[in-house]
Amino acid sequence: MLTSTGRRGFCCLLGALISGLAGAAQAGPPAAEMARIERLIVMVGTRKDMRLVRNGKEHDTDTAVQFLRGKLRYYSDDIKTAEDFITLCGTRSTTTGQLYWVRLTDGREMPAGDFLRVELARLDKAAAASGR
């Protein structure tokens, strides 16, 4: 049988555990921001006119999507907005510090973070126009 002090400690421990589980369930971006991130990732996958250059190696868009989704999972606790996603997942290598680049088939290159910000603004504008 627990004493009143023991019951109080048990209740505090149980409350902390429940709070921790509730917090874990809320980790990651809110639903509206996750929808923006998802639209951005899907757009990358549809852009067959580009390649992602990461740490000096060129990758197709299918590989870029897999890579972005993996980084999204890894950084989910730190990402609250689509802008956070771009900064943490689509800008530079956390291993080497090198910028990621987007190389278009017409020869243009730009930092991937800049490309993703421009595309996010375009997608947001299209979503607002369609009432999403």
Side-chain angles (χ1 to χ4, degrees), residues 9-78:
F10 177 75
C11 288
C12 287
L13 178 63
L14 185 59
L17 178 62
I18 291 169
S19 294
L21 291 175
Q26 295 174 356
E33 289 299 311
M34 192 60 212
R36 292 176 73 211
I37 293 167
E38 184 60 26
R39 281 195 298 272
L40 190 57
I41 291 172
V42 167
M43 177 280 307
V44 167
T46 64
R47 292 290 303 261
K48 302 305 179 191
D49 65 329
M50 62 169 262
R51 298 288 182 257
L52 175 68
V53 181
R54 183 171 60 98
N55 295 326
K57 291 187 75 173
E58 191 173 287
H59 303 277
D60 65 20
T61 54
D62 292 337
T63 303
V65 164
Q66 290 175 351
F67 170 74
L68 289 170
R69 288 193 189 285
K71 282 191 88 170
L72 175 59
R73 279 189 302 276
Y74 183 81
Y75 286 109
S76 67
D77 289 345
D78 300 316

Side-chain angles (χ1 to χ4, degrees), residues 110-121:
M110 67 188 77
D114 293 349
F115 173 81
L116 292 171
R117 286 181 186 92
V118 167
E119 290 300 312
L120 179 63

